Amino acid sequence: MPIEPAAQLLPAVVDLPFRDGYVSSIIYVSLYVSLAAVALSTAFSVPVAILLGLADFPGKQFVKSVINTGMGFPSVVVGLVVLFAVSNQGPLGSLELVFTKEAMIMSQFVLATPPITAISLAAIAGVDEPVRDAAHALGGTRFDVALVVLKEARYGIATAILAGFGRAISEVGSVLIVGGNITSASGISKTRTLTTAIQLEARQGQYETAMVLGAVLVALVLTVNAVVVRFGDRGVKP
Amino acid sequence: MIRATDVSHAYGEDPVFRDLSIDVDTGEVLAVIGPSGVGKTTLLRLLALSFEPDDGTVTVDGTDAWAVDPDERLSLRRRIGMVFQEASLFDAPVERNVEYGLRIRRSWTDRLRHELRSVVSSNGTADAVRDSLDIVGLTDKMDQHAASLSGGEAQRVSFARAVAYDPDVLLLDEPTSDLDPRNTAVIEEAIAAARDRGIGVVVATHDMHQAERIADRVAVLLDDRITEIGPTAEIFDDPDDDRTRKFISGELVY
């Protein structure tokens, strides 16, 4: 008896009110944009965090404050600024990036960079000074010392990258503004992400679709968070 | 081997040393004794070429370390090993820790090849790593993670890490101040073994009995200068300087 209701539920989940490839294309766009943005942001943020963590220069505290402010910066404003930058009259107008994945990557980059930099910096600053001194005293160059610090801070930096990914993948405002939430005529996502699709489907009353997309997004974010927690635990020294 | 001549140094307004001179030769143990906070660590860092003194010279085998270009200074620096009061091991297995000095002395292509090979198989243990762990009696801990060691074992690994690349001079900053008698004895034997290999050893210590046990020569650091330097027996039995005598007899309390 208890098997029957479950069997009836299954087709309801499988028989979804959207065309083939719609959901998978949305997942693809979401992952592509977020992963590309986070990869670029990591390539930028980690060296900056190393520099801020190991070098002393005038204005260092100011740079740190700017990064910390950036963590709480409203994403719609970032979207608006990127939209102005890539619009016809903007400085990047000639690249024709309005409503493209590239523009979305740009705004996600701006959003992911402050948390990745700030959390990496905290991890780097947490590396004991005696360990740095040891690397130097054993004959290490400044570059060798920086490598040691990177290795010591590796779990913290991994946490930072995953946190940046979490911010990027669950972001709505800026990707809606610069991406435009577009699909092709055949219903395949061009710049529609999980988040922007959910808000559109919900507004149109397509609650089942919105909920499936929501479940996928939550599953992705949960997976990322599980990894973050795991890395975070390993980063704590006994 | 390493010689500091008429060195003066200050942190801001506070002078740490004034016209201080000290030298260590290969194959000898020099103990630097003095009360806590007198600047023994700073003196060791000076000899390790970690900073340039405000005045005076530091030479390695006659070469003025702060008159040469950075590349040459790096190669002078790489003839020196150092062990700190805290073991300060890297978050890695013991073998990787001890191998560190050898690794960074390789060329970049060698290092890269080595790292890539370690992904697919073991590179084997360098003889120097095994030998230096043998000196401190920890060859059986080679594969353990540094964080799993006791404080004494960690300090012994730290010692092995500093001798693995066969430096000419080894600088030890209060290497046994946090250790139990057994681990202290192991470190003291390892110091003797390093001297027998021809390494010049400088040990900063506030433990005068230790200085008497292990040192060939003793330098007494009081306030901002070396009040006396000479053979161990001479310094302990018949110091010339009045303050040194008072310090050794315990009358001079800081």
Side-chain angles (χ1 to χ4, degrees):
Chain A
M1 269 309 271
I3 297 165
E4 257 187 47
Q8 277 170 354
L9 254 177
L10 203 61
V13 175
V14 176
D15 257 0
L16 284 166
F18 43 70
R19 275 164 283 189
D20 283 349
Y22 178 67
V23 172
S24 57
S25 69
I26 289 174
I27 295 173
Y28 166 75
V29 170
S30 278
L31 283 176
Y32 172 76
V33 168
S34 301
L35 288 174
V38 168
L40 290 173
S41 181
T42 303
F44 174 80
S45 303
V46 174
V48 168
I50 285 269
L51 199 70
L52 284 172
L54 299 186
D56 274 317
F57 54 89
K60 183 169 156 173
Q61 281 309 321
F62 176 72
V63 177
K64 281 189 185 174
S65 321
V66 169
I67 292 166
N68 287 332
T69 311
M71 287 226 278
F73 209 71
S75 64
V76 274
V77 178
V78 170
L80 206 57
V81 170
V82 172
L83 184 67
F84 284 147
V86 298
S87 69
N88 281 339
Q89 288 83 20
L92 302 173
S94 59
L95 299 173
E96 299 186 346
L97 292 177
V98 180
F99 300 152
T100 60
K101 294 190 198 66
E102 287 69 30
M104 293 159 77
I105 291 171
M106 281 170 65
S107 71
Q108 300 278 48
F109 172 86
V110 175
L111 287 170
T113 296
I116 296 182
T117 311
I119 300 171
S120 298
L121 179 58
I124 285 162
V127 173
D128 293 341
E129 201 169 335
V131 172
R132 280 152 50 176
D133 283 349
H136 185 262
L138 293 165
T141 59
R142 289 171 103 179
F143 190 74
D144 291 321
V145 174
L147 274 183
V148 162
V149 169
L150 259 186
K151 270 190 191 166
E152 296 287 310
R154 60 192 179 276
Y155 300 123
I157 292 173
T159 306
I161 295 168
L162 294 170
F165 178 75
R167 172 144 205 212
I169 192 103
S170 50
E171 209 288 308
V172 198
S174 73
V175 286
L176 190 60
I177 293 176
V178 300
N181 198 19
I182 300 167
T183 60
S184 68
S186 57
I188 298 299
S189 165
K190 277 185 170 172
T191 60
R192 185 168 298 177
T193 62
L194 284 164
T195 50
T196 56
I198 289 167
Q199 72 90 33
L200 180 73
E201 299 292 346
R203 215 177 52 197
Q204 291 179 343
Q206 305 281 357
Y207 294 114
E208 291 106 323
T209 316
M211 280 171 70
V212 170
L213 293 169
V216 171
L217 181 57
V218 169
L220 269 174
V221 173
L222 272 181
T223 310
V224 169
N225 275 321
V227 179
V228 170
V229 169
R230 205 177 141 69
F231 269 115
D233 283 348
R234 289 186 68 183
V236 176
K237 291 204 173 124
Chain B
M1 183 50 222
I2 299 188
R3 176 184 297 272
T5 311
D6 297 332
V7 169
S8 297
H9 194 70
Y11 284 135
E13 294 289 297
D14 299 329
V16 187
F17 310 127
R18 255 194 289 251
D19 295 329
L20 175 149
S21 297
I22 192 169
D23 66 286
V24 60
D25 214 337
T26 49
E28 71 160 345
V29 177
L30 170 71
V32 176
I33 60 172
S36 296
V38 76
K40 297 193 290 290
T41 301
T42 311
L43 175 58
L44 254 53
R45 283 166 47 79
L46 172 85
L47 297 177
L49 311 180
S50 293
F51 64 91
E52 186 176 6
D54 297 339
D55 206 7
T57 57
V58 183
T59 61
V60 179
D61 264 349
T63 307
D64 184 343
W66 294 100
V68 295
D69 62 61
D71 282 347
E72 202 174 331
R73 186 156 53 247
L74 177 66
S75 65
L76 294 178
R77 208 152 62 70
R78 287 188 164 176
R79 295 168 63 184
I80 302 164
M82 188 152 179
V83 176
F84 298 86
Q85 189 169 355
E86 276 178 60
S88 54
L89 296 179
F90 307 129
D91 182 13
V94 167
E95 184 182 350
R96 290 281 293 180
N97 264 284
V98 178
E99 199 202 11
Y100 182 77
L102 298 171
R103 197 159 62 236
I104 57 171
R105 282 164 177 75
R106 294 193 192 110
S107 72
W108 280 104
T109 44
D110 270 1
R111 282 171 77 171
L112 198 62
R113 201 179 305 137
H114 212 255
E115 292 296 325
L116 289 176
R117 213 187 302 143
S118 71
V119 176
V120 286
S121 68
S122 165
N123 278 306
T125 306
D127 289 342
V129 172
R130 196 176 291 279
D131 288 351
S132 47
L133 277 172
D134 192 38
I135 291 178
V136 293
L138 287 176
T139 40
D140 56 326
K141 304 274 182 181
M142 189 130 57
D143 299 324
Q144 279 194 21
H145 197 276
S148 70
L149 301 174
S150 71
E153 287 170 342
Q155 187 62 308
R156 283 152 65 187
V157 169
S158 178
F159 188 97
R161 182 174 66 173
V163 294
Y165 52 89
D166 202 21
D168 295 332
V169 172
L170 190 56
L171 308 171
L172 311 173
D173 187 8
E174 304 269 6
T176 60
S177 63
D178 297 333
L179 302 190
D180 59 60
R182 198 179 73 84
N183 281 305
T184 300
V186 173
I187 294 279
E188 288 181 2
E189 280 168 30
I191 290 170
R195 175 183 49 196
D196 294 346
R197 280 183 174 195
I199 298 175
V201 184
V202 182
V203 191
T205 180
H206 62 255
D207 179 352
M208 282 187 266
H209 299 296
Q210 181 173 56
E212 215 168 354
R213 276 197 303 275
I214 63 173
D216 301 305
R217 287 194 303 144
V218 170
V220 185
L221 185 60
L222 288 176
D223 296 330
D224 47 19
R225 62 193 190 95
I226 302 273
T227 54
E228 194 137 352
I229 182 167
T232 307
E234 247 173 57
I235 300 288
F236 280 100
D237 299 342
D238 186 23
D240 292 331
D241 183 89
D242 190 45
R243 285 168 60 78
T244 306
R245 184 168 30 247
K246 283 183 174 162
F247 174 66
I248 287 171
S249 67
E251 285 174 53
L252 191 65
V253 179
Y254 279 78

